[in-house]
Amino acid sequence: MTWTVPAPARTGGSLTAPEAELLPDYLAWHRSTFLHKCRGLNGEQLALRPLPASSLSLLGLMRHLAKVERTWFRIRFAAEDVPPLHAVEGHKDADFDLLDPARAEQEYRQLLEEQRLADLAVAGASLDATLAAYGEPQSLRMTYLHVTTEYARHNGHADLLREHIDGVTGA
């Protein structure tokens, strides 16, 4: 039987919660939205690049978002000694370009694990805690906003990709 992305549990959350609850919940919603857009697709479908002028694929976005989670929360914020994901010398877009449809399930599991570890890396931290981003201090608050906007942007890309792959639309 061919593996396909399972339907995720869709997250909700309060629209009036304090910021320390609202920001992680909103990120969780965008995370589950991305997975929802991939649900039911196999590795070959995830690796498709259906937009002629673009090299984007859902599998590439999945790999990229795992890299984003690791980079911003684990490496930059928590200063964990872990290597960057999908780092290939001389190939800055390896996360998007070096795809193997046969590894789609592993890439999916990697994204889930990076999300889990990112949440652990910031658990209990103040939104005012800072990290170094491009030589400037950046708050955890801003980091949540940055990663959430990264997901939001790519969820829009995922909408277009999914519609071109099999016609499925919607949140």
Side-chain angles (χ1 to χ4, degrees), residues 5 35-36 59 113 115 154-155 165 169-170:
V5 176
L35 295 174
H36 180 73
L59 186 56
E113 182 66 0
Q115 291 170 345
H154 293 316
N155 281 339
I165 291 168
T169 61

Side-chain angles (χ1 to χ4, degrees), residues 98-161:
L98 304 180
L99 305 179
D100 179 357
R103 290 191 39 79
E105 183 176 5
Q106 290 88 343
E107 300 292 0
Y108 166 81
R109 294 194 187 292
Q110 178 79 63
L111 175 59
L112 294 181
E113 182 66 0
E114 290 302 327
Q115 291 170 345
R116 185 185 75 76
L117 293 170
D119 288 343
L120 284 175
V122 299
S126 165
L127 292 176
D128 294 321
T130 60
L131 58 108
Y134 307 110
E136 298 287 328
Q138 177 175 304
S139 68
L140 179 57
R141 174 183 294 102
M142 182 60 205
T143 303
Y144 268 114
L145 292 172
H146 174 81
V147 174
T148 300
T149 59
E150 186 88 10
Y151 270 92
R153 244 182 47 205
H154 293 316
N155 281 339
H157 297 138
D159 277 335
L160 289 170
L161 293 167

Side-chain angles (χ1 to χ4, degrees), residues 10-33 119 144 148:
R10 298 302 302 268
T11 61
S14 170
L15 299 177
T16 58
E19 197 177 24
E21 180 183 331
L22 188 85
L23 291 174
D25 283 356
Y26 199 52
L27 175 57
W29 183 84
H30 274 285
R31 287 169 170 168
S32 68
T33 296
D119 288 343
Y144 268 114
T148 300

Side-chain angles (χ1 to χ4, degrees), residues 36-92:
H36 180 73
K37 292 177 186 309
C38 296
R39 78 201 179 287
L41 297 179
N42 63 35
E44 294 294 328
Q45 292 169 308
L46 290 169
L48 287 173
R49 294 177 172 133
L51 303 174
S54 173
S55 65
L56 286 180
S57 68
L58 290 168
L59 186 56
L61 289 173
M62 189 178 291
R63 289 165 46 90
H64 176 70
L65 291 168
K67 180 174 89 172
V68 166
E69 295 274 359
R70 180 179 284 199
T71 299
W72 284 98
F73 291 119
R74 297 179 62 204
I75 295 173
R76 290 185 177 158
F77 180 77
E80 290 182 22
D81 186 20
V82 293
L85 278 180
H86 314 302
V88 176
E89 191 170 330
H91 199 132
K92 75 177 189 75

